[in-house]
Amino acid sequence: MSTTGQEIKNVVLVHGAFADGSGWRGVYDNLTARGYRVTIVQNPLTSLEDDVAATTRVLDLQDGPTILVGHSWGGTVITEAGVHPKVAGLVYVSALAPDAGETTAQQYEGFAPTPDFVIDVEDGYGFLNHDTFKAGFAADASDADAAFLRDAQVPINMAVFAAPVKNAAWRDKPSWAVIATEDKAFDQAMLQYMAKRIGARVTNVPASHAVYVTQSGVVADVIATAAATAR
């Protein structure tokens, strides 16, 4: 299927680790009010293969060219799933962007640690620490919103970070990046490096790792720009 020249009205949103799709509500409301058809993937967070399969199933249901958006770990997922023929462009929201053959864990090598982003592991699955969740994930959210995100978090199989991606969709498709400049989950230099390497058009915004929640309007604007430009 060719996406060339067609108006892009479909958007698929992919959440990251320690989260579910509900955090996309603000972006969803903004884009649907503009006339976009928005679908949210619910990643099982059990393996890279499972998350890519969940995303692919949603992409299969789209009726035309689509902008595929990923937050955090969702960036690894869209990097692999984005080779789908309906994907016209990619938006990385404070997200990982490995190359083909690379693992997610490799993206952290050579960059500074993030002491506020504390992962507790139980039976191979990671949860963000209850006490440091707000500081590490959602420092600019209200206490109530941060508590909801904390208590709704979905654990991730830590083995996913060692799984290499087979394809890098950003090599063939236009990419955009929203980078939260107050992100405590990633070293800022790491986010900027990844965005530069994939040739993304970058929007920097003062926000926490939960930028997709706290700056949903900015994220929606970048997605709309991608939809208008990718064709």
Side-chain angles (χ1 to χ4, degrees):
M1 173 188 173
S2 174
T3 60
T4 304
Q6 297 183 60
E7 184 180 18
I8 301 173
K9 299 304 290 184
N10 296 321
V11 176
V12 170
L13 305 173
V14 182
H15 67 80
F18 319 111
D20 66 7
S22 64
W24 288 115
R25 182 60 187 268
V27 174
Y28 173 91
D29 287 345
N30 186 307
L31 291 174
T32 55
R34 303 192 203 193
Y36 291 95
R37 177 179 183 260
V38 184
T39 312
I40 299 169
V41 175
Q42 294 288 1
N43 282 326
L45 302 181
T46 46
S47 70
L48 173 59
E49 182 179 38
D50 289 347
D51 287 359
V52 170
T55 302
T56 298
R57 282 191 290 272
V58 171
L59 289 169
D60 286 342
L61 297 174
Q62 304 306 302
D63 62 3
T66 302
I67 298 299
L68 183 59
V69 185
H71 171 252
S72 193
W73 157 253
T76 296
V77 177
I78 71 169
T79 294
E80 184 75 76
V83 297
H84 194 289
K86 289 182 181 175
V87 175
L90 305 161
V91 179
Y92 290 82
V93 182
S94 266
L96 294 145
D99 201 353
E102 293 181 349
T103 69
T104 297
Q106 283 178 282
Q107 308 314 300
Y108 296 82
E109 294 174 1
F111 294 102
T114 51
D116 292 325
F117 198 77
V118 180
I119 303 172
D120 295 329
V121 181
E122 181 71 31
D123 194 28
Y125 279 77
F127 299 79
L128 289 185
N129 179 271
H130 187 280
D131 295 334
T132 60
F133 182 92
K134 189 175 192 297
F137 192 96
D140 57 341
S142 69
D143 288 345
D145 285 346
F148 176 81
L149 290 168
R150 178 196 67 208
D151 296 337
Q153 67 174 297
V154 181
I156 189 166
N157 183 352
M158 295 298 289
V160 305
F161 299 116
V165 299
K166 297 175 182 177
N167 303 288
W170 52 261
R171 287 197 166 273
D172 300 307
K173 300 187 180 182
S175 299
W176 287 258
V178 179
I179 294 180
T181 59
E182 305 303 320
D183 198 324
K184 301 302 182 185
F186 300 124
D187 179 11
Q188 187 65 203
M190 174 183 166
L191 287 170
Q192 299 290 344
Y193 169 79
M194 288 188 295
K196 181 178 180 180
R197 183 173 73 155
I198 70 175
R201 301 154 180 83
V202 176
T203 298
N204 295 299
V205 57
S208 71
H209 190 59
V211 57
Y212 68 116
V213 177
T214 62
Q215 293 287 341
S216 59
V218 174
V219 174
D221 284 345
V222 173
I223 295 168
T225 297
T229 308
R231 59 177 176 163

